[in-house]
Amino acid sequence: MDAIVAEKITKQFKETVALKEVSFQVRAHELFGFIGPDGAGKTTLFRLIASLMLPNSGSLKVLGLDPVTEFKALRKKLGYMPGRFSLYQDLTVEENLDFYATIFGTTIEENYDLIKDIYSHIEPFKTRPAGKLSGGMKQKLALSCALIHKPELLILDEPTTGVDAVSRKEFWQMLKNLQKQGITVVVSTPYMDEAALCDRVALIQKGSLLSVDTPENIINSFKTELYGLRSVDMYNLLIQLKAYAFCENAHLFGQYIHASFKGELNRNDLLNYLKTKGIEDVEITGIKPGIEDCFMQLMVSNETLETV
Amino acid sequence: MKKFWGFVVKEFYHIFRDKRTMLVLFGMPLIMMLLFGFVITNEIKDAKIAVLDLSYDPTTRNITNKIASSGYFQIQEVLTSDKDIESIFKKGFVKEVIVFEGKFEEKLYKTGKANIQLITDASDANQAKLIAEYTSGIIRAYNNELNSAYTMPYKIETESRMFYNPETKGVYMFVPGIMAMILMLVSALMTSISIVREKEMGTMEVLLVSPLRPIQIILGKVMPYVFLSFINAVFIIILSLTVFNLPVQGSILLLLAECLLFIVLALSLGILISASTDNQQVAMLLSMVALMLPTMLLSGFIYPVENMPVILQVLCQMMPPKWFIEIVKGIMLKGVGLDMLWFETLILLGMTILLLSISARKFKKRLE
């Protein structure tokens, strides 16, 4: 049975359309990621799944239950961690965990096994008020609280935003472990590099899903050759590349400009063109595309579709 | 049920850990009581007055002596002409001028009737009212004394420029008002803020997703404040008993029960406020403007309802504190029981049920 089945769900706030006919399935025991920039509609989608908001149209089944009518039954099986840190800052680590255990009708001891890996990191600070924890520890505590009632489905809204690189890595390892214990994990993130850690990802942009697939398949579906270009004056290079007649797409990624071209790339033609623009020190290498490149490409084609 | 108590315990943690909350909860009632009790005193002591005795006979001198030796007044000046009255008021330190009409004694014994005029400086209206009242009290006492000595009734008429409101007689008037104010403030303000805080911090989102039912969330939030407000009510009663020597004439049990009713009413107002906003500041402002001002101004606490324009009087009838203050006054000062206060109690009960059902309906199970 699929953990989540969404069919053409639309959510509208007055003028703005937050989600446009979004359809996808999350399989049971899957680690599923929603990848997209801020304002893409991730939080709204998660709130719909968590029965905190109602869709305007479309059908949604979470764990076989309808979040609109069967929200009471659903809320017992669901672990939800909102994007904002939402624990009680004036309560200590232990009191927070104890409180969430109590309102979900369980105790810390009962489900300690499940949270042991995560909670052991913060247990030395259990008498500290939650508001005084570091960003990474806050997220670990929030995750422990969301897990304490042993949910079948765990929904995490941007759990790694604002968390340092080491804690982020640890956090993903924890999610993998939870998945092994049979919990379906749905997570959203604005970081493209985290996509590769999911079983399947959905790329989301402006309320629409661009693609739903495994990270490998998404990368493999990248249609054209990708090149990395470098020069001393990167900014000028980017402008000139975008003006180049055969350039399909050009974006700055760290030290390189990732560019794809229409048809086969004629290196000499490109170098000559750049020379006329006063750029002579260009270095061109073929590179393997990443998720981010795929996202950019899908985004551009989605936008051109929209304008057509 | 265990879930619910877990929630209540959490709420107590919040209250006891926040120093400001504690201060508002327990410091404010004490400060308010003492402020109203000692600083804003309604007692008159050594008020400066002037006498214009147009008759200057034994009777008027007797009355003047009585007033001067009462301890309330201090005769500052003796005037000789009514032209001086205005100039002496303009100097500002004299609060009252007592005018005996000409041939006072003669008139009193011949016609059985003589007049004294009390002119008060009403720039401070409340004080003026009190001064006039005290003076006429002394004169009335003298009149009684006079009548007991003679069989024929003589009547000294005092004509006061101020309207005398018999309800302002007790200086302890403020206790019922303070009680209404503190209970309103603590119950409504604190609950509305504490519910809205959960929304603002994002914790409400998690609470909603939990198996807790909305009614459990509301009750869990409200319970500690019912308890603490009740303690406050007891505290106020004890203070007024010990520090201000104001005995409770009626049944203390009934008084406490009425307090509890009013607390629940104020709490449902608080829930209603919290349902209509997501912002602590707005909640605070709403509580202040929508609850505090009517409690102070439209309840008969500071200004008597009877003296207001008709529209405001109608508005007063809709204010819960007005009824509560009447009940407390009835029990504390007059010593009446439920047989006299059933109507007021019924109104409070009706308001509570109405507000509770509205606020329970308005509380959202979701984020929108």
Side-chain angles (χ1 to χ4, degrees), chain B residues 65-73 138:
Chain B
N65 282 341
K66 279 255 184 255
I67 290 170
S69 60
S70 66
Y72 301 125
F73 302 104
I138 295 165

Side-chain angles (χ1 to χ4, degrees), chain B residues 206-220:
Chain B
V206 187
L207 288 182
L208 287 177
V209 180
S210 79
L212 278 177
R213 277 178 297 155
I215 189 75
Q216 285 177 314
I217 297 179
I218 293 182
L219 286 180

Side-chain angles (χ1 to χ4, degrees), chain B residues 19-35 182 185-186 232 235 239:
Chain B
K19 286 194 189 96
R20 277 175 300 173
T21 308
M22 288 297 282
L23 202 70
V24 173
L25 267 177
F26 295 110
M28 197 187 59
L30 182 71
I31 290 168
M32 267 195 186
M33 279 293 280
L34 297 180
L35 255 179
I182 290 172
L185 194 75
V186 169
N232 258 326
F235 180 62
L239 258 185

